[in-house]
């Protein structure tokens, strides 16, 4: 049977699947067959020719435990050997590697399309490379997608069970060596947290490369603030040729606004249940994935786990030649049984960002934060707007008009020596509102150069004028601007089970509106950092009534704050607001 939680799911009709061999890729027309793709063949214009022969099993039916049939494409070597399988689980079309929307996206990012064969499912491994090295690649269409039966759900136990069933089916095939792995970025990562937690017997290892791990906290209600715009953008991928329905998160956000609703509880991953080896990849810069990836890494139950924190956006990272070669060392060790040097890989490798073209990457450590990272509080001075080591004895309130100009208040510290921060920052804010009963607060930790200029860095190849336009106040996943966090004051209640002194976590199970004159304590969790400042450079923290980083991707609006009246930030005495940063007490040396 389908999982019980589907009784609570709010469905809408899926979008129509246009099966014209263009909209969803040149290989999309439905036909169950076996075909040999020949070396040198070009799948579509602009893509690299195939490096070798590939056997393609197209539109293979797979029956799930409740009788629903989904369809998958499988690519493998043409030999009679047995192969491990890499699985790319997502709602993105299995044959859509040459679809115009993805070609246009990668062109916009400055990556082009020549890096892949055109067989590459969005955010998934390129079959051409992996087949050449003795692997099969499985690109399924989830239930309700394209020609697959059933209705589409998005994140949670239904996908987890379906992924489990596909894994066990793959392992039973005559060409399989009985070993499988999950890999891919974004959606193909957060589906891994759920599928792997089911512990399918033949799931050998996983490679989560940047992906959220809580549908409520990381996507629908970040900081308790609803954000429907990006979810609407994701929903258009739920296309069906069979008249299927799709889970409608917008309806669910309206029907179930609190995180303790069963529908949202089902979308909280439990990485502690994951026991197989895991190579986790993260960055500081993803305003969609960073929080969830680091949270899942901390909770991961795997004895053998590795964390690599890079300094790029996930797609340029995942498809980089050297990074693919490194990933193959991980898979070769666990899926092919090769006695290589993978086990000598440092358990943690992190980056130190400077926004000035001199990032340090792959700094080895035993943990994150690394040894030598200690929390340092910088208290707000309401008179001078400085950040200082000790709190002021008297409270000096700082006011700004919510949504007005400037609509924010900031505080700064210029360092007299080189300073580095690595770990988990947070902000403790004592605030009230005059003229309303709630506040949406956005916090941003910046780096300013010696001339006072706010610094940022692109994490994609395209630095052109149009990308400058998109990312100046938006496209936050493509341009890193510093650590950030947000919180709705009425949703400030801390979760006693998961919140720590270093990393606040919220229950989001109650609404506590503010009374006139009430000063509330807001513990704002900020995204993890690896950030360096030279002597003479400045740290600035911005407390704002608007989302100054903007939406995740170009063309999508950010969230709409619910703010009115005047925000009052208290800065001394018993209301000594501060920024807590993970200060490195010893200098970091690149190994």
């Amino acid at each position: 049977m389908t999982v019980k939680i589907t009784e609570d799911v709010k469905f809408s009709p899926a979008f129509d699947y246009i099966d014209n061999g263009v909209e969803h890729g040149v290989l999309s027309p439905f036909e169950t067959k076996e075909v040999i793709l020949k070396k040198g063949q070009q799948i579509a214009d602009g893509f690299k020719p195939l490096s070798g022969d590939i056997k393609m099993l197209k539109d293979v039916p797979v029956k799930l435990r409740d009788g629903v049939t989904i369809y998958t494409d499988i690519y493998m070597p043409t030999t009679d050997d047995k192969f491990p399988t890499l699985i790319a689980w997502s709602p993105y079309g299995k044959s859509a590697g040459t679809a115009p929307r993805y070609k246009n996206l990668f062109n916009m990012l400055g990556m082009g399309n020549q890096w892949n064969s055109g067989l590459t499912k969005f955010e998934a491994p390129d079959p051409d490379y992996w087949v050449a090295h003795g692997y099969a690649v499985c690109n399924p269409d989830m239930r309700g997608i394209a020609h697959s039966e059933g209705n589409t759900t998005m994140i949670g136990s239904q996908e987890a069970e379906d992924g489990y069933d596909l894994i066990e089916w793959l392992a039973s095939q005559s060409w399989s060596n009985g070993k499988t792995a999950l890999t891919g970025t974004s959606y193909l990562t957060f589906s891994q947290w759920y599928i792997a937690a089911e512990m399918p017997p033949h799931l050998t290892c996983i490679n989560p490369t940047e992906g959220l791990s809580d549908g409520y906290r990381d996507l629908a209600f970040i900081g308790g603030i609803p954000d429907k715009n990006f979810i609407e953008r994701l929903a258009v991928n739920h296309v069906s040729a069979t008249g299927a329905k799709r889970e409608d998160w917008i309806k669910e956000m309206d029907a179930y606004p609190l995180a303790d609703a069963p529908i949202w509880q089902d979308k909280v991953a439990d990485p502690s249940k994951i026991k197989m080896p895991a190579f986790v990849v993260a960055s500081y810069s993803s305003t969609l994935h960073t929080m969830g990836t680091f949270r899942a890494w901390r909770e991961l139950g795997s004895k053998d786990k590795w964390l690599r924190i890079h300094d790029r956006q996930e797609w340029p990272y995942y498809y980089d030649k050297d990074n693919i070669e490194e990933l193959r060392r991980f898979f070769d060790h666990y899926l092919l049984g090769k006695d290589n040097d993978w086990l000598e890989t440092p358990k943690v490798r992190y980056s130190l960002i400077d926004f000035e073209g001199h990032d340090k990457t792959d700094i080895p450590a035993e943990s994150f934060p690394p040894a030598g990272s200690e929390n340092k509080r910088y208290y707000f001075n309401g008179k001078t707007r400085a950040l200082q080591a000790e709190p002021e004895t008297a409270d000096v309130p700082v006011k700004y008009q919510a949504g007005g100009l400037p609509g924010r208040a900031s505080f700064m510290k210029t360092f007299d020596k080189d300073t580095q921060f690595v770990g988990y920052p947070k902000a403790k804010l004592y605030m009230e509102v005059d003229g309303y009963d709630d506040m949406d607060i956005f916090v941003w930790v910046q780096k300013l150069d010696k001339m006072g200029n706010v610094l940022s860095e692109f994490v994609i190849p395209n630095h052109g004028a149009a990308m400058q336009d998109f990312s100046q106040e938006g496209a936050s996943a493509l341009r890193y601007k510093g650590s950030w966090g947000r919180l709705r004051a009425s949703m400030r209640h801390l979760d006693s089970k998961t919140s720590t002194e270093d990393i606040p976590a919220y229950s989001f199970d109650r609404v506590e509106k503010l009374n006139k004159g009430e000063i509330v304590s807001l513990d704002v969790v900020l995204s993890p950092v690896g950030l360096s400042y030279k002597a003479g450079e400045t740290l600035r923290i911005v407390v704002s009534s608007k989302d100054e980083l903007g939406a995740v991707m170009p063309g999508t609006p950010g969230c709409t704050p619910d703010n009115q009246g005047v925000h009052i930030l208290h800065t001394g005495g018993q209301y000594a607001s501060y920024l807590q940063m993970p200060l490195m007490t010893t200098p970091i040396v690149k190994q």
Side-chain angles (χ1 to χ4, degrees):
M1 297 294 290
T2 52
V3 297
K4 182 174 176 56
I5 195 62
T6 56
E7 297 173 4
D8 294 340
V9 169
K10 303 294 184 182
F11 286 106
S12 289
F15 297 94
D16 289 337
Y17 182 75
I18 303 171
D19 204 357
N20 60 2
V22 176
E23 182 74 15
H24 298 290
V26 297
L27 296 177
S28 62
F30 184 84
E31 185 179 5
T32 297
K33 65 179 181 179
E34 178 181 314
V35 61
I36 302 297
L37 306 173
K38 303 299 292 183
K39 178 180 180 180
Q41 179 178 345
Q42 190 176 30
I43 301 301
D45 290 342
F47 295 86
K48 69 178 181 180
L50 299 183
S51 61
D53 292 352
I54 297 175
K55 180 189 292 185
M56 178 186 184
L57 307 181
K58 189 175 185 305
D59 291 312
V60 180
V62 179
K63 183 165 287 191
L64 306 176
R65 68 185 70 180
D66 64 347
V68 164
T69 296
I70 64 171
Y71 293 91
T72 184
D73 292 343
I74 304 171
Y75 303 90
M76 66 183 69
T78 56
T79 66
D80 293 330
D81 298 329
K82 294 183 182 294
F83 320 107
T85 307
L86 307 181
I87 303 163
W89 185 274
S90 77
Y92 307 132
K94 61 183 174 57
S95 306
T98 59
R101 62 186 179 279
Y102 298 134
K103 290 194 295 184
N104 294 339
L105 172 63
F106 289 118
N107 283 329
M108 178 196 70
L109 299 177
M111 295 173 61
N113 293 281
Q114 187 63 33
W115 52 269
N116 87 104
S117 64
L119 302 177
T120 310
K121 187 180 183 181
F122 182 50
E123 302 181 329
D126 184 355
D128 181 62
Y129 173 88
W130 291 99
V131 167
H133 290 93
Y135 291 82
V137 174
C138 175
N139 291 343
D141 276 337
M142 292 167 31
R143 68 169 62 213
I145 298 297
H147 295 273
S148 292
E149 298 173 356
N151 296 322
T152 301
T153 58
M154 184 171 148
I155 308 176
S157 55
Q158 184 65 69
E159 280 192 47
E161 288 192 1
D162 292 351
Y164 180 112
D165 293 351
L166 176 64
I167 288 166
E168 295 308 300
W169 179 88
L170 287 165
S172 72
Q173 300 306 296
S174 61
W175 45 264
S176 171
N177 75 348
K179 296 182 178 182
T180 68
L182 293 163
T183 184
T185 78
S186 191
Y187 199 107
L188 286 81
T189 283
F190 54 80
S191 62
Q192 291 183 53
W193 306 127
Y194 302 88
I195 296 171
E198 293 290 308
M199 289 296 291
H202 291 92
L203 180 57
T204 309
C205 57
I206 59 173
N207 168 230
T209 303
E210 300 212 47
L212 60 86
S213 57
D214 186 317
Y216 187 99
R217 291 165 177 81
D218 297 335
L219 184 57
F221 293 88
I222 302 173
I225 303 172
D227 188 352
K228 297 179 179 179
N229 294 316
F230 188 67
I231 289 173
E232 288 180 334
R233 178 172 179 156
L234 291 177
V236 301
N237 294 288
H238 294 166
V239 294
S240 174
T242 65
K245 296 179 181 179
R246 60 178 177 88
E247 182 173 6
D248 191 328
W249 274 38
I250 305 301
K251 289 181 178 179
E252 289 172 349
M253 290 172 70
D254 292 335
Y256 313 117
L258 297 179
D260 58 354
I263 197 73
W264 299 118
Q265 290 295 303
D266 188 63
K267 301 182 189 303
V268 179
D270 187 357
S272 68
K273 295 180 179 178
I274 299 173
K275 306 300 181 183
M276 71 279 296
F279 177 21
V280 180
V281 180
S283 74
Y284 309 121
S285 61
S286 176
T287 47
L288 181 61
H289 297 141
T290 294
M291 298 286 205
T293 308
F294 277 86
R295 186 190 312 113
W297 156 257
R298 295 192 301 270
E299 299 173 359
L300 198 60
S302 304
K303 177 175 64 73
D304 298 315
K305 64 178 183 178
W306 289 263
L307 174 66
R308 187 182 187 191
I309 306 168
H310 63 94
D311 65 344
R312 283 182 270 179
Q313 195 266 353
E314 61 228 40
W315 302 323
Y317 171 89
Y318 188 75
Y319 295 115
D320 176 86
K321 291 181 180 179
D322 291 339
N323 297 336
I324 294 172
E325 288 291 312
E326 179 181 66
L327 178 57
R328 184 161 66 90
R329 287 175 46 234
F330 172 71
F331 284 148
D332 280 357
H333 181 77
Y334 287 107
L335 299 177
L336 294 179
K338 290 190 176 181
D339 185 17
N340 57 23
D341 60 353
W342 175 258
L343 295 181
E344 299 173 15
T345 304
K347 289 296 185 180
V348 172
R349 286 169 291 165
Y350 65 94
S351 294
L352 191 65
I353 309 300
D354 78 343
F355 290 131
E356 297 174 86
H358 307 290
D359 293 352
K360 293 182 178 181
T361 58
D362 289 325
I363 304 168
E366 290 298 317
S367 62
F368 187 89
S373 175
E374 296 182 1
N375 290 331
K376 171 71 173 178
R377 292 181 179 179
Y378 297 93
Y379 290 92
F380 297 0
N381 185 316
K383 290 182 180 179
T384 65
R385 295 291 191 91
L387 294 169
Q388 56 194 43
E390 299 295 332
E392 289 291 297
T393 56
D395 176 25
V396 177
V398 177
K399 301 179 180 181
Y400 59 83
Q401 179 70 42
L405 293 176
R408 69 176 77 93
S410 66
F411 303 82
M412 302 197 303
K413 177 178 178 58
T414 300
F415 297 100
D416 57 10
K417 62 180 180 180
D418 291 358
T419 303
Q420 301 166 336
F421 300 102
V422 183
Y424 298 104
K426 75 170 186 180
K428 166 78 83 171
L429 308 177
Y430 292 96
M431 299 189 70
E432 65 175 301
V433 60
D434 183 14
Y436 200 47
D437 61 0
D438 211 343
M439 294 182 288
D440 285 349
I441 302 300
F442 300 86
V443 179
W444 180 9
V445 177
Q446 300 174 327
K447 177 178 176 178
L448 281 58
D449 68 13
K450 294 180 180 180
M451 301 300 292
N453 300 301
V454 178
L455 301 181
S456 63
E457 69 178 30
F458 283 102
V459 290
I460 57 171
N462 181 8
H463 304 169
M467 188 54 64
Q468 294 277 356
D469 295 342
F470 279 125
S471 62
Q472 184 167 318
E473 297 173 351
S476 58
L478 308 182
R479 184 175 180 177
Y480 183 42
K481 304 174 185 179
S483 180
W484 66 279
R486 65 174 68 162
L487 180 62
R488 174 162 285 179
S490 62
M491 304 288 277
R492 64 190 178 277
H493 186 264
L494 294 173
D495 185 342
S496 60
K497 295 180 181 179
T498 58
S499 189
T500 68
E501 177 60 27
D502 294 352
I503 310 171
Y506 317 103
S507 62
F508 293 136
D509 61 354
R510 67 200 69 186
V511 177
E512 299 174 312
K513 293 288 190 178
L514 280 65
N515 298 314
K516 183 176 177 58
E518 181 184 7
I519 300 172
V520 295
S521 172
L522 306 179
D523 291 89
V524 184
V525 61
L526 303 178
S527 58
V529 295
L531 190 57
S532 67
Y533 293 82
K534 296 187 183 71
E537 295 179 333
T538 299
L539 183 155
R540 178 187 182 217
I541 179 172
V542 181
V543 180
S544 180
S545 60
K546 47 188 176 290
D547 182 8
E548 305 209 19
L549 272 68
V552 173
M553 292 294 287
T556 303
C559 69
T560 302
D562 180 20
N563 277 325
Q564 297 180 37
V566 175
H567 291 182
I568 305 171
L569 173 60
H570 295 267
T571 65
Q574 63 178 315
Y575 302 119
S577 298
Y578 61 83
L579 169 67
Q580 182 169 289
M581 292 291 288
L583 176 67
M584 292 301 295
T585 57
T586 55
I588 295 171
V589 178
K590 177 73 177 292
Q591 300 295 315

